[in-house]
Amino acid sequence: MIAEIITIGDELLRGEIVDSNKARIAERLLLLDLECRYQVSVLDDSADMQDAFRRAAGRSDFVLVSGGLGPTRDDMTTEVLAETFGRETELHEESLAAIEAFFSRVGRRMADVNRKQAYFPTGADVDVLRNPIGTAPGFSLREGRAVFFAMPGVPRELDLMMDEQVLPRIEADFLLQADETGRSPGEAGQRGIERRVVRAVLLRTFGMGESTLEAELMDLARDGEVDLGYRTSFPDNFLRPVARAKTGEGADARIGQVSEAIRARLGPI
């Protein structure tokens, strides 16, 4: 199954901040063995956002969207996502009450513009995602083969929403059903999937170049059970074996075997 990440904000494309949210989301998706095939960043521009949403809906099963759920004029994710797929937006009273309670807890007056954050696309396939530590609730929306998860761009709010709400929804609503039936629901389920557990380890090396490392390890991790990746961060070179198996024990065993073989081959470096 294919996952896609879309991050939204002018500040990302102008280089004003480093877009760490892509890494935060992709790292969590790996825990469910979801392959992140596409990562896209777009400006706070309605046309660009619509184009990104349409492309994602046509090629991905899960679309993780970060940013654009704030109260200001450049926060347009909810409205544009609704417009892209021909939906209206409506007030969600429970979310409005939660936002009002948030401001009350911190001793601040809620501005009228914050009401905007309690509006969501219409439809029975829309699910609101609570945000207990901020004023921007998220939501999920199904469109064709794709399920969109719209989340805030503030990293700590994003992390909590991913861990407590988004990943459990993906696991319970889709992957577990695939375990039981051999197929996932909806159009995406026309391709049967096998549930696997993922384990990875990062091995740090020093004193040998990347090409020499590859030559030394040429015959390892070639059987398809473990993938071996390389990353250079001067003065070190990192090796990242990633193993998949039907059980955690099986994945741990594969990681242990390949790591032991790498250490034996490379010695003290």
Side-chain angles (χ1 to χ4, degrees):
M1 301 191 75
I2 298 174
E4 179 163 351
I5 300 171
I6 301 175
T7 54
I8 298 172
D10 293 353
E11 67 277 9
L12 303 177
L13 283 91
R14 292 172 180 164
E16 296 172 8
I17 65 171
V18 175
D19 185 1
S20 64
N21 284 354
K22 287 196 183 79
R24 310 172 90 90
I25 297 172
E27 184 178 33
R28 285 166 166 79
L29 291 175
L30 182 62
L31 298 174
L32 296 181
D33 195 22
L34 280 174
E35 184 178 11
C36 183
R37 292 282 296 275
Y38 306 100
Q39 294 188 2
V40 179
S41 293
V42 295
L43 295 169
D44 297 309
D45 177 86
S46 177
D48 289 353
M49 292 167 66
Q50 287 193 40
D51 179 66
F53 294 154
R54 290 194 185 100
R55 289 175 184 271
R59 66 190 180 189
S60 300
D61 300 295
F62 300 102
V63 185
L64 292 300
V65 182
S66 168
L69 298 183
T72 59
R73 70 186 69 181
D74 58 347
D75 292 310
M76 303 183 293
T77 296
T78 301
E79 297 91 332
V80 174
L81 197 50
E83 181 181 355
T84 301
F85 301 119
R87 303 175 186 236
E88 303 294 329
T89 60
E90 63 182 1
L91 179 66
H92 187 252
E93 295 288 353
E94 184 178 339
S95 293
L96 179 60
I99 295 170
E100 291 171 341
F102 174 87
F103 279 99
S104 178
R105 287 198 306 271
V106 298
R108 292 167 52 197
R109 174 183 170 275
M110 189 187 94
D112 288 341
V113 293
N114 286 102
R115 286 179 58 88
K116 168 185 175 182
Q117 296 176 286
Y119 280 80
F120 300 98
T122 57
D125 54 357
V126 175
D127 190 14
V128 175
L129 308 176
R130 295 177 300 103
N131 183 355
I133 58 174
T135 66
F139 62 92
S140 66
L141 177 155
R142 175 179 287 278
E143 184 63 35
R145 67 176 283 184
V147 178
F148 286 78
F149 291 93
M151 299 171 289
V154 178
R156 72 187 191 102
E157 297 177 23
L158 171 68
D159 290 348
L160 188 65
M161 192 171 289
M162 281 287 299
D163 293 341
E164 293 189 349
Q165 299 187 73
V166 175
L167 292 183
R169 278 171 167 79
I170 292 175
E171 186 171 27
D173 295 343
F174 299 93
L175 298 185
L176 290 184
Q177 290 184 39
D179 276 345
E180 296 170 359
T181 65
R183 307 170 75 85
S184 58
E187 183 178 345
Q190 293 176 8
R191 297 165 299 156
I193 63 171
E194 179 183 3
R195 178 80 186 282
R196 294 181 296 175
V197 177
V198 181
R199 293 288 188 270
V201 68
L202 196 65
L203 304 178
R204 176 182 178 185
T205 74
F206 178 83
M208 185 178 287
E210 189 176 41
S211 57
T212 306
L213 283 171
E214 170 65 4
E216 289 289 329
L217 305 175
M218 182 67 70
D219 59 316
L220 298 183
R222 291 289 188 181
D223 59 4
E225 295 184 342
V226 183
D227 296 324
L228 182 60
Y230 296 82
R231 190 178 83 226
T232 297
S233 180
F234 183 83
D236 305 312
N237 281 297
F238 293 91
L239 306 173
R240 188 171 183 83
V242 179
R244 295 170 172 84
K246 291 184 178 180
T247 66
E249 294 79 6
D252 287 334
R254 290 175 180 175
I255 281 290
Q257 290 168 1
V258 75
S259 296
E260 183 178 350
I262 290 172
R263 290 189 176 98
R265 186 73 58 84
L266 297 182
I269 74 164

